[in-house]
Each structure stands twice: as structure tokens, then as C-alpha cells.
Amino acid sequence: MNVLIASDSYKDSLSAFEVGEAARKGVLSAWPSAYVENSPMADGGEGTLDALLTCLDGEEKEVRVHDPLMNIVTARYVVLNGDTAFIESARSSGLPLVPFEKRDPMKANTYGLGEQIKDAVQNGYRNIVISLGGSATNDGGVGMLQALGWTFYGEDGVELGVEGNPLLQAASFSDRERLPGLEECSFTIASDVTNPFYGEKGAAHIFGKQKGATSEGILELDAGLVRMASLFKEVYGVDVQKVAGSGAAGGLGGSIVAALGGTLQSGVDTIIELTGLEEKVMKADIVFTGEGSLDQQSLMGKVPVGVARLAKKHGKKVIGIAGRIDTDLAEVNQYLDAVFSIQTECRSLEEALRSEVTSEQIRVTVEQVVRLLKV
């Protein structure tokens, strides 16, 4: 029996690697002679760097950058195959960097992400993969571009500073001082968000509130995105509003496509490709996957469905395990043969999230599933 475990993390509890190790113990408890491979997965968001480093011989780089409120923080990115830099935007521009009471996209920017990219380019890396997810910002990528040499001006023609959210005052820009070497780079955007740049389903209206924006602020942010889309179209000939996913991370998707010539790609598909998961699936007899909550949202480009699609492509059985599951699983079962909750008894959420509890419940659940498979 050849078993592949390709799970996402269980948020606030276990990393993807730790989930896989707990599942490995469950498999071996029921089938000691089985070969079990743990290939941690992610969809481009939190935990992606750790998943990549577990599966690949990557090198971590540290760089001092600004967080969304322009405080200095240390961010990491990973170099793969000697020439590809994988950057998590959340490491410099993510919500976890901002205390809850200070979250306000009217005051936050992506300057730090630009500094991450700048460091990678100046170190000679020309293939740049940027994962977008969990951002605290809604600046249309203006802050990022400022860090890369773009100059933005207000209606009065005065150059804008880098504090706060420059999108709100931006009326024009120049890229004459852009960072040398950018034109030699290829940019891939790893994201599963399909929202447009602006409008009712755009970055501000859909994601602004969860980042701390008021109703009035959302309208102001959206108006700024409309202006920026017009500028991108005028200068670069790219209508970002027609690019699905341009609204990812507060408009970062659109700015990377327009100003840096980036290409949007599914986050989970990007990680599948980078980690060589397809070859591992082809060797497996059964595949286990999962995440903290396996539900309707899992259909929106999450790890379990991405792994399941790949498993089905090669005719493999695929089992999902999760902290919780929906009662209506008809759509989920179109991809996964069966899904199981790991909960073994009634617990408070706080207790259920304890890593040692989650780990043991995964082990027990997977062991019981494998015992059934043996029958």
C-alpha cells in the first residue's frame, strides 16, 4: 500500500507538515507495512513557505521591510532552484501584522511587498512568484510600486509620500525611475481570488470591511481603484477590470498584471506544480488530503479540491479529513470519495484547537479509515 498525504494546515492548530505526520502515524497503526509520503500543501496563503521548504531544497532569505502601517519588520521569502523567488505578500502586508484595533485599509499600504520584490531582484532572481492572500491593504498596489521606483502624484501635481494609503490621492504616476532589472523578470501571481479590480464584487466592496473599512471608506477606496484602473489602461494598455482576480489582495493582482506584466495562476495549482505533486499522486494507491474546515468554501480553489482533481485525473481514491465538515457534501463528494471529521468527542473550540488534541484526533480518524480500506 502506497499512501500519499497532501493536506493543508489546520489554521490556529497544526501546520500542514504536522497534519501529515499525525496522519502518517494513523496509517501505520492500521497498516504497518504501508509506504507513506507526507507532502504538505498550501494554496498560496499562510503556511505556503513552510510547505515549500518541507518538500523542496529551498533557501530562506530574510529582509527588513515595512509592514502595512510602515513599521519595520523582518520578512522571509524562499529561493527555489537557484533562480525562483517565492514571496508571500502576507509576510509584509498581512492582517496578522496589524493589531485588530489598528486595522484600517485607509491607512495601510503594500510598500513592504515592494521591498521584498526589490530585494529579490537586486539579488539576481528573475523568476518571481508572489502569493496573494490575507492582506491588510487596499491600495491597488500603489505602495508596492512606490517601493519599486514608481512616483505617484496628487491632483495638484505634488509627489505623494509613502505613509498611509497613497491610492486615495493618486491622480497620475511616472515609472521613469523604476528599479533596473524589473524588465528582465517574469512575475507569477498565485491566488484563487477571482474578483475584479473595482465595483460591487471588487476588492474594496468584498474585502474592505474585513480589513477594517467603514461603509464610507469602502466607497472612497473603490473610487480610488476606478481611477487607478483608468491610469493603468492609459499608460500600459491593460484593462485590469477585465482580468479575473485583479482585485486580489486589495488590487495587488491588477497592479502586478498591469505594471509588472504578471500572470495570474491558481494558488493551489502553483504549489502543486512547484512541489511536483502530480508525480507523487501517480505513485500512490490512496491519497489523503484536508484542511481545518472542509465545506462549500473548499470548492473555491482550496487545497483539498485541488489535490482531489489531480488524484481523479489519475484514477486514485482520495479521502478528505478535517476539523469540521458540512452536512451537505454533495458537491464536495464530486471531487473527494469520502470526507471525515476528526472530532471524537464534544469539546470547546479552544480545546479542539490545541495541537496535541488535533494531532491525536487525526491519528485516530485516519487509522479507522485505513482499517476500513483494508477490509
Side-chain angles (χ1 to χ4, degrees), residues 113-128:
L113 174 60
E115 292 175 309
Q116 285 180 283
I117 296 170
K118 181 178 180 178
D119 187 80
V121 174
Q122 290 182 329
N123 276 290
Y125 307 116
R126 292 297 181 260
N127 298 318
I128 315 290

Side-chain angles (χ1 to χ4, degrees), residues 171-173 227-239:
S172 62
F173 68 80
R227 290 195 305 272
M228 190 53 53
S230 178
L231 289 173
F232 284 149
K233 186 174 182 180
E234 177 184 340
V235 177
Y236 300 118
V238 178
D239 187 351

Side-chain angles (χ1 to χ4, degrees), residues 292-295 320-329 339-342:
S293 180
L294 221 166
D295 49 37
I321 53 172
R324 67 164 298 278
I325 61 175
D326 272 352
T327 53
D328 182 4
L329 294 167
V339 297
F340 297 88
S341 168
I342 65 170

Side-chain angles (χ1 to χ4, degrees), residues 20 41 56 254:
M41 286 298 297
L56 301 170

Side-chain angles (χ1 to χ4, degrees), residues 47-372:
T48 298
L49 294 189
D50 294 331
L52 289 174
L53 286 170
T54 301
C55 295
L56 301 170
D57 185 19
E59 178 186 3
E60 286 187 279
K61 297 284 188 178
E62 286 191 351
V63 57
R64 300 283 282 173
V65 303
H66 291 84
D67 72 7
L69 300 181
M70 298 302 286
N71 301 304
I72 298 294
V73 295
T74 299
R76 295 183 302 152
Y77 64 91
V78 169
V79 177
L80 305 170
N81 303 318
D83 67 346
T84 297
F86 190 101
I87 297 171
E88 271 188 36
S89 65
R91 298 282 175 146
S92 59
S93 308
L95 273 173
L97 297 173
V98 184
F100 185 82
E101 67 277 6
K102 293 184 178 181
R103 293 179 181 178
D104 183 357
M106 310 295 283
K107 300 177 181 178
N109 65 57
T110 56
Y111 194 87
L113 174 60
E115 292 175 309
Q116 285 180 283
I117 296 170
K118 181 178 180 178
D119 187 80
V121 174
Q122 290 182 329
N123 276 290
Y125 307 116
R126 292 297 181 260
N127 298 318
I128 315 290
V129 182
I130 306 171
S131 68
L132 305 184
S135 74
T137 59
N138 199 124
D139 72 346
V142 172
M144 172 195 70
L145 294 175
Q146 285 179 309
L148 292 173
W150 271 251
T151 305
F152 287 82
Y153 304 93
E155 290 284 358
D156 56 5
V158 175
E159 180 179 343
L160 299 178
V162 297
E163 298 290 337
N165 184 348
L167 172 72
L168 302 175
Q169 286 80 43
S172 62
F173 68 80
S174 168
D175 64 1
R176 288 191 298 272
E177 301 298 322
R178 59 187 282 166
L179 179 70
L182 282 175
E183 66 282 353
E184 302 168 4
C185 297
S186 66
F187 290 89
T188 301
I189 307 161
S191 173
D192 291 297
V193 169
T194 58
N195 300 77
F197 202 64
Y198 60 81
E200 291 184 1
K201 296 186 181 298
H205 281 282
I206 297 300
F207 304 112
K209 185 176 181 180
Q210 69 190 47
K211 299 178 183 183
T214 63
S215 298
E216 294 78 12
I218 288 172
L219 294 176
E220 190 174 349
L221 290 167
D222 192 61
L225 291 170
V226 171
R227 290 195 305 272
M228 190 53 53
S230 178
L231 289 173
F232 284 149
K233 186 174 182 180
E234 177 184 340
V235 177
Y236 300 118
V238 178
D239 187 351
V240 294
Q241 184 65 3
K242 293 182 178 180
V243 179
S246 61
L252 271 174
S255 62
I256 296 172
V257 167
L260 299 178
T263 302
L264 279 156
Q265 184 171 308
S266 161
V268 67
D269 288 347
T270 300
I271 307 308
I272 284 173
E273 181 180 338
L274 287 172
T275 58
L277 190 71
E278 184 163 15
E279 184 177 347
K280 299 173 187 177
V281 166
M282 292 170 65
K283 295 177 181 177
D285 297 306
I286 188 103
V287 178
F288 280 90
T289 186
E291 60 183 342
S293 180
L294 221 166
D295 49 37
Q296 292 296 308
Q297 290 192 31
S298 301
L299 301 170
M300 308 293 288
K302 299 296 186 180
V303 165
V305 170
V307 171
R309 282 199 182 105
L310 187 60
K312 289 306 176 185
K313 174 183 174 182
H314 295 286
K316 309 296 184 177
K317 292 292 185 185
V318 57
I319 306 296
I321 53 172
R324 67 164 298 278
I325 61 175
D326 272 352
T327 53
D328 182 4
L329 294 167
E331 288 188 80
V332 171
N333 284 141
Q334 292 179 23
Y335 301 97
L336 292 102
D337 292 296
V339 297
F340 297 88
S341 168
I342 65 170
Q343 301 306 320
T344 56
E345 61 182 82
C346 293
R347 292 183 171 90
S348 67
L349 178 61
E350 181 180 4
E351 185 180 3
L353 288 172
R354 288 169 50 198
S355 58
E356 64 271 21
V357 172
T358 304
S359 180
E360 179 61 10
Q361 290 191 125
I362 291 171
R363 186 196 67 78
V364 169
T365 303
V366 171
E367 178 181 348
Q368 296 309 305
V369 171
V370 174
R371 287 184 181 278
L372 179 60

